[in-house]
Amino acid sequence: MGRWEPDAAGRLREAAMALYAERGYDGTTVAEIADRAGVTARTFFRHFADKREVLFAGSEQLERHMVEALAAAPADATPMEAVTAAVLATAEFFDDIRRDYSRRRAAVITSTPELRERELIKMATLTTSLTDGLLERGVAPDVAALAAETGVAVFRVSFERWIAAPDDVPIADVLQATLKTLATLTA
Amino acid sequence: MGRWEPDAAGRLREAAMALYAERGYDGTTVAEIADRAGVTARTFFRHFADKREVLFAGSEQLERHMVEALAAAPADATPMEAVTAAVLATAEFFDDIRRDYSRRRAAVITSTPELRERELIKMATLTTSLTDGLLERGVAPDVAALAAETGVAVFRVSFERWIAAPDDVPIADVLQATLKTLATLTA
DNA sequence: ATCGGTGATGTCAGTCAATGACATCACTGG
DNA sequence: CCAGTGATGTCATTGACTGACATCACCGAT
């Protein structure tokens, strides 16, 4: 396929993460990322819309997965039950291998305003998708929006906790714990 | 003060809004904005951090105002009562004159991803500030975060409604109505 | 009224993100 | 072995943003 080695996008992702972690986002140029990945800057922009997007490559996949889990929930499930299924489905994306990457990624994002902006809009998009999924299940608009918002909040909080947790704690446990906390809060 | 006319920042704001509305955000260059305002592009960047920020100039002011209103609430007010005071205080910023500007501004923002990102981070910052304000009132962290989030949501929804509402509806009424809806929802 | 300081602006040069147009190479199927 | 396809390289260009330095208006002190 490629002119040389395969998986240029993957190499670009790794190169970007390494350089962002090492020199910071602002201190890294696209040309440097491309060099390290063995391609040109032009190729970088063929794989990623901009310099930020390289850190959010998996997000569409995750979103699709959550929406599918939402749709796959039993027809008689309550809105919150369906959302819970979608949230729990994220566990399949974050195994122990991804944890180290996730940690470094989170560190870079929180320290870079431009990247925090991008993350916020990704979360907003995710919320919209889940809301739409609930609407297709016949959920009332108000309830759908609120349930989706809550689900994304649970995912966000859980993800942060998982990153900060010891290495032997799987994300599934954290998600369950967060959902339990939510239940006690609203009880 | 200025080399020529005063209030260069104000002229830049108006010029930017006019051009964004006319040619779109992407179709407008900073040089064009500066030209219309009678200054150079370099001066634009002395007043605004970047091309996006020119549309969010008043936000720090609004945020400060809300935080002050929050702090000024009676010591025995509940967290939600204090947040309500902060939300209602925004009415002083959006008179009828600002309405037309707000409408055009909203139209540009919703149609430009880059600007939506910036708006999201502004709202996130506002939420953080309100949370901090509540913490200083001795509110428990969980409650503070939730109350702040709710308050910002009310403001956001109200603002959208106000823009869509007929010209004779003041924003204060919309804010009250939204708060009332919230009360019935949580009842 | 003159002088010097201060702050805002202009000028200039430069870096870097991002995009369009076109050439080129690797791989595929016939 | 050849033509087609897709990914990549090359080149040129635009435009956002920054640093360094000069310049001008204004203000207070002399």
Side-chain angles (χ1 to χ4, degrees), chain B residues 3 8 38-40 42-43 46-47:
Chain B
R3 188 112 93 178
V39 295
T40 40
R42 190 67 184 86
T43 294
R46 288 201 178 94
H47 286 279

Side-chain angles (χ1 to χ4, degrees), chain B residues 24-54:
Chain B
Y25 175 81
D26 289 325
T28 305
T29 70
V30 171
E32 289 168 346
I33 298 171
D35 273 353
R36 181 187 265 243
V39 295
T40 40
R42 190 67 184 86
T43 294
F44 177 94
F45 290 108
R46 288 201 178 94
H47 286 279
F48 306 101
D50 57 47
K51 194 184 167 187
R52 280 136 261 147
E53 200 64 16
V54 66

Side-chain angles (χ1 to χ4, degrees), chain B residues 66-67 70 83 86 125-135 148 151-152:
Chain B
M66 290 180 76
V67 171
L70 184 78
V83 166
T125 304
L126 175 59
T127 302
T128 303
S129 295
L130 291 181
T131 302
D132 290 347
L134 286 169
L135 290 178
V152 173

Side-chain angles (χ1 to χ4, degrees), chain A residues 54-183:
Chain A
V54 67
L55 279 189
F56 299 88
S59 64
E60 319 84 40
Q61 229 177 323
L62 180 67
E63 179 176 321
R64 209 179 314 125
H65 194 65
M66 290 180 77
V67 170
E68 281 168 13
L70 184 78
D76 62 345
T78 66
M80 239 358 249
E81 283 170 353
V83 166
T84 298
V87 169
L88 289 177
T90 63
E92 294 153 33
F93 270 76
F94 302 101
D95 51 15
D96 292 333
I97 303 169
R98 289 282 181 97
R99 188 190 226 121
D100 184 59
Y101 175 83
S102 295
R103 278 189 183 132
R104 294 191 301 154
R105 178 178 171 278
V108 174
I109 291 176
T110 52
S111 64
T112 311
E114 287 180 77
L115 295 174
R116 297 211 294 129
E117 286 187 343
R118 182 57 52 87
E119 182 162 57
L120 286 172
I121 207 167
K122 291 294 181 187
M123 289 296 145
T125 304
L126 174 59
T127 302
T128 303
S129 295
L130 292 181
T131 301
D132 290 346
L134 286 169
L135 290 178
E136 284 191 19
R137 292 176 63 90
V139 177
D142 295 359
V143 180
L146 189 57
E149 205 92 49
T150 306
V152 173
V154 168
F155 169 70
R156 204 164 12 94
V157 170
S158 300
F159 191 74
E160 282 172 25
R161 287 187 188 171
W162 177 62
I163 285 174
D167 284 350
D168 60 342
V169 179
I171 194 170
D173 289 7
V174 184
L175 288 166
Q176 294 279 9
T178 306
L179 285 165
K180 195 175 171 186
T181 303
L182 174 67

Side-chain angles (χ1 to χ4, degrees), chain B:
Chain B
M1 301 187 179
R3 188 112 93 178
W4 279 358
E5 301 301 313
D7 194 23
R11 284 185 344 258
L12 283 166
R13 259 196 301 275
E14 285 180 28
M17 188 59 250
L19 289 172
Y20 289 169
E22 184 185 331
R23 314 178 189 178
Y25 175 81
D26 289 325
T28 305
T29 70
V30 171
E32 289 168 346
I33 298 171
D35 273 353
R36 181 187 265 243
V39 295
T40 40
R42 190 67 184 86
T43 294
F44 177 94
F45 290 108
R46 288 201 178 94
H47 286 279
F48 306 101
D50 57 47
K51 194 184 167 187
R52 280 136 261 147
E53 200 64 16
V54 66
L55 280 189
F56 299 89
S59 64
E60 318 85 38
Q61 229 177 323
L62 180 69
E63 180 175 320
R64 211 178 314 125
H65 194 65
M66 290 180 76
V67 171
E68 282 168 12
L70 184 78
D76 63 344
T78 67
M80 246 349 256
E81 283 170 352
V83 166
T84 298
V87 170
L88 290 176
T90 63
E92 294 152 32
F93 269 77
F94 302 101
D95 51 15
D96 292 333
I97 304 171
R98 289 281 182 96
R99 189 191 225 117
D100 183 59
Y101 175 83
S102 295
R103 280 188 182 131
R104 294 189 301 153
R105 178 178 171 279
V108 174
I109 290 176
T110 53
S111 65
T112 311
E114 287 180 77
L115 295 174
R116 296 212 295 127
E117 284 187 344
R118 182 57 52 89
E119 183 162 57
L120 286 172
I121 207 168
K122 291 294 179 186
M123 289 297 145
T125 304
L126 175 59
T127 302
T128 303
S129 295
L130 291 181
T131 302
D132 290 347
L134 286 169
L135 290 178
E136 285 191 19
R137 292 175 63 89
V139 177
D142 295 359
V143 180
L146 189 57
E149 205 92 48
T150 306
V152 173
V154 168
F155 169 70
R156 206 165 10 95
V157 171
S158 299
F159 191 75
E160 280 172 26
R161 287 188 188 171
W162 177 62
I163 285 175
D167 284 349
D168 59 342
V169 179
I171 193 170
D173 289 8
V174 184
L175 288 165
Q176 293 280 9
T178 305
L179 285 165
K180 196 175 170 187
T181 303
L182 176 67
T184 64
L185 267 183
T186 56

